[in-house]
Amino acid sequence: MCLLLLTACNQNSSSDIKTNNAVNLNLGDDLSISLGDSVELTAQINLKDMDLATYQWIQTSGNTISLREDDKPYISFIATENDSLEFQLIVTDGQGIEYTDSIAITVLAESTQYTAQLSWTAPTINEDGSSITNLAGYNIYYGESEADLNTLIVVSDPTQTSYDIKKLDPDHHYYFCVTAYNDSGQESQASGIVDIIL
């Protein structure tokens, strides 16, 4: 049996509300999002005459994000890189008074987990030396202790000789073995135990 290891491969802090003459501009709390998420930021503002207001979004940190429109009270984009982004919005009212607020966005990769790819050779001979004619499948046992392989995966296709065990946690030691079973439910001796440290 051989083993191949493949890598698969909110902190909220309140953003300040800027106030000027009882006018509030608020972009909301700082965000933590996942890679690939769609981001929509919309300003909450209570200007008396919104029709005369102008908007200017400025990115102040992180890899440059291409914004289709930066002169509206909102922006949207898809987070395509792990990054720490910050945006500032400047709103100017009809009298030329500016109001500003900013927001930080942390783009996180999905949590790192691993996939163990197990493969084995199908047995052809019983322990008594006779040919196997009624192979029905395999049992995969694994766990974090060689003495306690407490997770069972049943592979009910006797022609399948590999299996991917996904979502294994980093910084853990895993042990694996495989047995075969026939159509009567009789189980073979276990293969040798293989182990990985993630």
Side-chain angles (χ1 to χ4, degrees):
M1 181 167 89
C2 66
L3 176 68
L4 174 64
L5 175 66
L6 304 176
T7 57
C9 266
N10 189 12
Q11 157 182 323
N12 287 339
S13 61
S14 296
S15 125
D16 295 334
I17 298 176
K18 307 299 188 290
T19 305
N20 189 356
N21 297 330
V23 175
N24 296 328
L25 169 61
N26 185 13
L27 292 179
D29 293 340
D30 294 344
L31 301 174
S32 291
I33 62 173
S34 297
L35 196 64
D37 282 355
S38 177
V39 181
E40 295 182 6
L41 303 177
T42 302
Q44 302 297 319
I45 187 168
N46 65 340
L47 287 176
K48 290 181 181 178
D49 193 347
M50 297 294 292
D51 293 338
L52 297 178
T54 61
Y55 304 88
Q56 180 184 12
W57 289 89
I58 301 171
Q59 183 178 349
T60 56
S61 71
N63 292 314
T64 301
I65 300 293
S66 177
L67 302 174
R68 285 182 286 184
E69 295 179 302
D70 60 5
D71 59 351
K72 306 289 184 186
Y74 53 83
I75 56 172
S76 63
F77 60 90
I78 294 176
T80 58
E81 299 181 58
N82 294 359
D83 211 345
S84 294
L85 306 170
E86 187 167 343
F87 294 91
Q88 181 184 55
L89 174 62
I90 302 173
V91 179
T92 306
D93 68 13
Q95 298 177 352
I97 300 174
E98 291 185 349
Y99 309 89
T100 65
D101 194 16
S102 60
I103 186 169
I105 301 173
T106 303
V107 184
L108 304 171
E110 295 182 3
S111 60
T112 302
Q113 291 186 311
Y114 296 86
T115 296
Q117 185 182 62
L118 300 176
S119 62
W120 58 89
T121 301
T124 57
I125 299 174
N126 289 308
E127 292 176 14
D128 64 6
S130 62
S131 295
I132 294 177
T133 58
N134 58 349
L135 181 63
Y138 307 94
N139 290 325
I140 299 171
Y141 298 91
Y142 75 97
E144 294 185 48
S145 166
E146 188 171 359
D148 186 19
L149 304 180
N150 54 14
T151 301
L152 168 65
I153 297 171
V154 177
V155 178
S156 57
D157 179 359
T159 66
Q160 181 178 338
T161 56
S162 66
Y163 192 89
D164 290 351
I165 301 177
K166 301 179 180 180
K167 296 185 178 181
L168 298 177
D169 294 322
D171 301 319
H172 286 251
H173 197 159
Y174 290 96
Y175 299 84
F176 308 84
C177 75
V178 178
T179 66
Y181 64 88
N182 62 22
D183 57 11
S184 299
Q186 293 177 311
E187 191 173 18
S188 72
Q189 292 184 357
S191 66
I193 292 176
V194 294
D195 67 300
I196 54 173
I197 301 175
L198 303 179

